[in-house]
Amino acid sequence: MMEYFAVEGGHPLEGSVTIHGAKNSALPILAAALLADGESVIHNCPALTDCAAALEILRCLGCRVRREGTTVTVDTTCRREHVIPDGLMGRMRASVLFLGALLARDRAAAACWPGGCALGARPIDLHIRAFQALGAQVRSWNGQLSLQAPRLAGRRLALPIPSVGATENAMLAACGAQGVTVIDNPAREPEIVDLQGFLRCLGARVTGAGSDRITVEGGHRLHPGEYTVMADRIVTATYLCAVAAAGGEGELRGAQASHLAPVISALKGAGCAIGGQKGRLWIRRKGPLGGVGALRTGPYPAFPTDAQPLLAAALAGGGGKSRITETIFDHRFRYVQGLAEMGACIQVRGDTAAIVGRPLRGAWVEATDLRGGAALTVAALAAQGESRIGGLEHIDRGYEALDRDLRALGGWVWRKQE
Ligand code: EPZ
């Protein structure tokens, strides 16, 4: 049975929606729950297929896991395993974060190489180098990984690039290392700060997240804690771009403007009015949507790579010219094919997409990855006529119910089955 979004575009939006918890914060936090002895409680954990996979990994490791709405309870009392089943490891990139937590707890971990979106090469060399620097021996053979660490000792780690996952894995492993670990040139994303917040509520001594140096004083037994996951800033960017694309106005409850300065600045430059106060954002676009000139993605606090497809989708149906350069992933323009089927004028050369905005028409298209699929849905809201977006399994990884939320904003979007 094939599921798809049926979208009728061309209608300005008007409505309000609550932003759900952040996938890229909940996933490392669920891995970090392994570090505590007992039952931790995590609130605002989004009901996403990636989070379901993380909960399944915790169950396979022997934890008792319960979900009541968006509150998840993880009890590690009966934990016994340190081998992650291939089927789960291959389902998403974030599975790799369980390696750092298992290394900290058991000084051992085993798994196959992680899976994830088809965004190009997704190496984990920086994760492995961080584990080795802390004292782990790493063996790799026909797609399998085995980590052993008779003991883990804190030390200075310098990341050549501010990798989000490598930073998170280094923080997790360092919690199990005797002594102080200093991570230089870490990722500074808000999700890293959220992970630090959760670790500290377990009693871990972690400081500096969000800055250019994170310090972990490891080797202490950690107790269970209770924590609330931050709002998802890429979901927020998605809904901002949806209103920018279709026109009209929208209120985003729970949104954190401070996490999205480059996205807000780009949309204002293209002709949107955006404002808000603590925990709430509004956006309005009454006149034409222009272009953004030249824009580059980069590590936080630069323009986030995850919002690049979403902004491009809005600009494609506007009336201005833009050039977006993707500096993080080498295959992050695959959604452009779908936009072209809607009549978009986008030329991709190497790492740059040149966009000349013009009216779009509805089309039947297929999502190839998570944010690319959301981008096609955003563009369909602006396109004249009916669109169908297939490949919802990609979209469901990062959005609780993209159709439900876009309908709450006034969009004509329904989930259907063929
Ligand atoms: C995280 O992926 C996010 N995923 C991604 O979100 C996000 O796009 C990315 O960070 C960048 O912000 C989760 O948090 C689960 P990286 P991650 O390590 O950790 C290279 C989404 O849509 N690299 O910061 O995999 C890598 O190839 C997803 O929610 C190495 O070379 O990203 C990439 O070019 C998509 N060696 C760059 O670094 C390594 O060992 C940044 O990757 C690790 C990474």
Side-chain angles (χ1 to χ4, degrees), residues 23-24 93 122 124-126 161 163-165 306 328 371:
K23 165 177 86 81
N24 293 348
R93 166 87 178 167
R122 306 284 305 266
I124 58 169
D125 56 313
L126 302 181
I161 52 175
S163 154
V164 171
D306 292 349
I328 304 292
R371 306 302 172 185

Side-chain angles (χ1 to χ4, degrees), residues 9 23 66 125 169 237 240 246 259 320 341 377 406:
K23 165 177 86 81
R66 230 179 29 254
D125 56 313
N169 247 334
L240 288 171
H259 292 164
E341 286 165 42
T377 311
L406 291 175

